[in-house]
Amino acid sequence: KMLGRVLCTVLFVGALQSLAKASQGHISVVLLGATGDLAKKYLWQGLFQLYMDQVSSGHSFTFHGAALTALEPGQRLMFDVLKKLSCPLDEAPNRCAVLKDQFLKLSQYHQLSTAENYTALSREIEALLRQEGLKEAGRIFYFSVPPFAYTEIARHINSSCRPAPGAWLRVVLEKPFGHDLQSAQQLAAELTGFFREEEMYRVDHYLGKQAVAHILPFRDQNRQFLDPIWNRHHVERVEIVLKETVDAKGRTSFYEQYGVIRDVLQNHLTEALMFLLMELPANVSRAEEVLKHKLQSFQSLWGLEKNSAVLGQYQAYASQVREELQQAQDYVSTTPTFAGVLIHSDSLRWEGVPFLLTSGKALDERVGYARVLFKNRAYCTQSETLRDAGHSQCKAKQIIFYFGHGALNTPAVLVSRNLFRPVMPKDSWKEATAQSDLHVFGQPLSDYYVYSPVKERDAYSVLISNIYHGRKDFFITTENLLASWGFWTPLLDSISHQPLRLYPGGVENQHLLDFEMVSGGLAFTLAEPAELLNPPRQMPSDYKAIQSKYRQSPLVSAWSEDLISQLASDMEEAAVRSVARSGQFHLALSGGSSPVILFQRLARHHYAFPWKHTHIWLVDERCVPLTDSESNFFSLHSHLLQSVRVPYFNIHPMPVHLNWRLCVEEDRGTEMYAKDITALVANASFDLVLLGVGTDGHTASLFPRSENGLEGAPTVVLTESPVKPHQRMSLSLPLINKARQVFVLVLGKGKHDITTLLSRVGHEPRKWPISGVSPSSGQLVWYVDYEALLG
């Protein structure tokens, strides 16, 4: 045993000697999980490719495979993998043999399970540097291990295995990076305790796929053609698709936790979406500019609703889960294996353009692509047989970034010939000769300019090269990671019990999974098949009685999404009646989180709402600038006003910011707002006031035992909130009670206790301001979801 170790070390050190004199610095690569599946399939080959590419760069390398396995069996497993490494077909056999031999000599296995092991590894690297007279350039630690192990490994690296000052550290992390926003935040917080942001490289291997990686360079190099047409006026829709023929057999323990949205859409397809959606920076080679523009694109996305997605599960999945996870025969899995999701952006460039993200297992083909389909305004009088196939303006116009597999079986970029001939870098992309028998999206390949890579490279080889070069724009930053989870988590929460469409798998799926855009969301095209996976769930009919009155006023109650839909429809109906009666509709809206989904519903589904004749008022406002994210007006503008056509002079924000200061009584902001109401609203009676309820019984910004606004004149008042920001401006209770209609919206389990309490108390506005809402000559209607009403 000892002799073997000595021999290994001699070979390991000997390979460095010829490089030491020319070296610009030494790089130690540590692959954690060196005997795992990912390492066997991709990572060792990627590291070997890095060595082949950079052997003459001036850097010297050593490669340290590490795992929990003991030294001898781990070493044997690792070198079994290394012996099978291959060179590209265009590599000369003699050079390949020499480089492979060198790579094996530069590779060594370590058992890393304790703090002492990491200390020993660091000392070994330092001793090697001294012995060979090498200066350390940096260390790469590649975490090919489950995320639960990240924190402990990070602690060991940070405490005892960092390189010397002046050398860099790059830590490479594999997904999954959390399960939702909260878990991602927790993992990110733990890692940032050990590593700086610039040291972390979160891998999404889709960013290494050549067609995905070329989206931004393609847009940059073809600005002259794309600038006029890369927008909502010319693009009909965008599809980003990853279809798989394999199922989840053998991976159900992972899949049950994650499902298709977490596994594919939240990361791979979202990254491709960002490259298509984002505004181009002036220099696409500047990583920080690219990352900043990606983050801005996340901020432009509409929030996802339950009807934004269609979900399915292949029929054999449940039995596979029961078998592999040893579940009972009556176990029902609610994990989707297929998903289609509709995404919209409110940016000026993309407003109204649907982005469809689709992925699934057990489908009819294996293929991945991003397809930009352009509107076609042409009408061609000639018959189709007489048209020039290459230039007819009546042919579909599209740009396709083909990730691989499928009919082409190679990465490719396709541009319709009736669009433009693209500029492509000749050193890395070549124009492909058309194969007459191939069709892509119903058109012969000859209808496209088709480009494929000069040298096809595995995604991990591309990413490992980018790690070596420090190209952060090919990786996921903490900010982008949390923005992505912040976008996807509400949808994941809302669909956790949604019925899934069962599908048989493969070509037998036929049209079962076809879907279409309906009323701002998605729906399957075919009617529900007889067999539907519908997990047990309490429905309204399961409850013995739900009263139609609450506090002696009409009550509307449903699951939250249905409730919001009903409330939005009732608001539209009230608006239409008011405009028919008086020619205008005066609507006062509350702030807070509950109305956000209502605002989004009104913006996306109620195109007949008479916005042109609507005046928008605020029920209350926080004493912050209107551009502050905590401002009620800011939220109202973000989620509603910028998406509908309300005349500018019909929008009435509360004047909390006057004379460069906030809510100062001497500035008379409350008087100004009260005068505006008196001047514009007949009898100061709003047509509709929308209120919410706090857990303490407050409404608007009228809080228990408030000194202002609970009684007296119908006016506008300054109040104090028990939580920050403390200062508020609010309509008074008497002014609210002059309204023709008041709707109160109450959502979520967090409001169950106050909802129950209010059902038992009388008119006591000093204790519970909401109890004082009682329109003097109007109607009060409560909209309370089942969770708030029934707990």
Side-chain angles (χ1 to χ4, degrees), residues 331-440:
Y331 176 77
V332 176
S333 170
T334 58
T335 302
T337 62
F338 170 85
V341 178
L342 174 63
I343 294 175
H344 280 102
S345 166
D346 62 15
S347 71
L348 286 175
R349 181 182 296 278
W350 295 116
E351 184 182 13
V353 177
F355 289 78
L356 294 166
L357 273 59
T358 306
S359 185
K361 290 192 172 292
L363 301 181
D364 62 317
E365 63 175 337
R366 184 185 184 190
V367 69
Y369 60 83
R371 177 191 184 209
V372 182
L373 182 64
F374 291 86
K375 297 174 182 177
N376 200 329
R377 296 182 173 86
Y379 172 76
C380 300
T381 54
Q382 282 186 306
S383 66
E384 190 170 345
T385 54
L386 294 176
R387 294 174 193 164
D388 174 8
H391 300 92
S392 170
Q393 290 302 308
C394 285
K395 293 274 188 180
K397 300 179 179 182
Q398 51 198 328
I399 297 173
I400 303 159
F401 298 94
Y402 205 87
F403 306 156
H405 305 293
L408 299 182
N409 200 32
T410 181
V413 177
L414 297 86
V415 179
S416 294
R417 288 182 179 269
N418 56 6
L419 268 176
F420 57 87
R421 176 186 280 275
V423 175
M424 296 290 282
K426 292 180 180 178
D427 59 333
S428 53
W429 292 84
K430 62 185 178 185
E431 189 165 3
T433 54
Q435 301 174 47
S436 57
D437 58 329
L438 282 183
H439 283 67
V440 178

Side-chain angles (χ1 to χ4, degrees), residues 214 217-225 413 415 420-426 429 451:
H214 195 63
F218 178 89
R219 289 181 57 193
D220 181 51
Q221 291 155 13
N222 290 278
R223 286 181 194 253
Q224 58 178 322
F225 305 118
V413 177
V415 179
F420 57 87
R421 176 186 280 275
V423 175
M424 296 290 282
K426 292 180 180 178
W429 292 84
Y451 297 85

Side-chain angles (χ1 to χ4, degrees), residues 360-607:
K361 290 192 172 292
L363 301 181
D364 62 317
E365 63 175 337
R366 184 185 184 190
V367 69
Y369 60 83
R371 177 191 184 209
V372 182
L373 182 64
F374 291 86
K375 297 174 182 177
N376 200 329
R377 296 182 173 86
Y379 172 76
C380 300
T381 54
Q382 282 186 306
S383 66
E384 190 170 345
T385 54
L386 294 176
R387 294 174 193 164
D388 174 8
H391 300 92
S392 170
Q393 290 302 308
C394 285
K395 293 274 188 180
K397 300 179 179 182
Q398 51 198 328
I399 297 173
I400 303 159
F401 298 94
Y402 205 87
F403 306 156
H405 305 293
L408 299 182
N409 200 32
T410 181
V413 177
L414 297 86
V415 179
S416 294
R417 288 182 179 269
N418 56 6
L419 268 176
F420 57 87
R421 176 186 280 275
V423 175
M424 296 290 282
K426 292 180 180 178
D427 59 333
S428 53
W429 292 84
K430 62 185 178 185
E431 189 165 3
T433 54
Q435 301 174 47
S436 57
D437 58 329
L438 282 183
H439 283 67
V440 178
F441 296 108
Q443 291 180 258
L445 214 54
S446 58
D447 280 5
Y448 302 94
Y449 296 110
V450 182
Y451 297 85
S452 59
V454 170
K455 185 176 182 180
E456 197 169 332
R457 298 191 66 182
D458 171 71
Y460 278 99
S461 295
V462 173
L463 291 174
I464 287 170
S465 174
N466 287 323
I467 294 162
Y468 165 77
H469 288 290
R471 287 289 306 273
K472 288 282 288 184
D473 49 328
F474 282 85
F475 300 89
I476 313 300
T477 64
T478 301
E479 260 192 315
N480 269 29
L481 173 69
L482 298 182
S484 180
W485 276 120
F487 174 67
W488 285 101
T489 296
L491 175 68
L492 290 164
D493 290 343
S494 72
I495 62 173
S496 57
H497 297 292
Q498 187 167 326
L500 307 175
R501 172 162 289 193
L502 289 177
Y503 59 97
V507 294
E508 293 179 34
N509 295 334
Q510 297 185 30
H511 299 294
L512 260 183
L513 298 178
D514 293 353
F515 57 85
E516 59 189 349
M517 291 173 275
V518 180
S519 302
L522 295 182
F524 284 116
T525 305
L526 291 182
E528 214 55 89
E531 190 174 10
L532 175 72
L533 180 62
N534 197 347
R537 175 186 178 181
Q538 284 187 311
M539 295 302 289
S541 57
D542 297 328
Y543 299 109
K544 291 182 179 177
I546 297 177
Q547 297 181 2
S548 59
K549 293 269 186 182
Y550 179 79
R551 292 183 55 83
Q552 289 77 53
S553 294
L555 168 68
V556 180
S557 195
W559 295 111
S560 59
E561 189 166 333
D562 296 331
L563 184 72
I564 291 296
S565 176
Q566 184 61 53
L567 174 55
S569 296
D570 291 349
M571 289 176 67
E572 181 177 323
E573 188 179 331
V576 170
R577 282 200 312 268
S578 178
V579 171
R581 182 182 64 247
S582 64
Q584 53 191 358
F585 177 56
H586 287 276
L587 172 63
L589 297 170
S590 288
S593 57
S594 293
V596 167
I597 51 175
L598 171 66
F599 297 159
Q600 292 171 342
R601 179 86 194 178
L602 288 168
R604 300 174 192 178
H605 300 282
H606 289 265
Y607 298 104

Side-chain angles (χ1 to χ4, degrees), residues 248-312:
K249 190 172 183 179
R251 293 185 70 225
T252 56
S253 60
F254 168 82
Y255 221 76
E256 266 299 270
Q257 294 181 63
Y258 289 90
V260 67
I261 294 179
R262 291 181 174 92
D263 187 36
V264 177
L265 278 76
Q266 179 271 329
N267 36 70
H268 304 330
L269 302 195
T270 298
E271 288 304 313
L273 169 69
M274 290 298 108
F275 284 157
L276 294 166
L277 190 74
M278 65 185 275
E279 291 299 311
L280 273 184
N283 184 352
V284 296
S285 298
R286 286 178 58 86
E288 60 273 21
E289 286 297 303
V290 171
L291 295 169
K292 183 179 81 172
H293 282 71
K294 278 175 69 176
L295 196 60
Q296 289 170 349
S297 293
F298 272 117
Q299 294 164 353
S300 77
L301 299 179
W302 285 10
L304 295 173
E305 301 173 352
K306 186 158 58 173
N307 72 338
S308 301
V310 288
L311 305 172

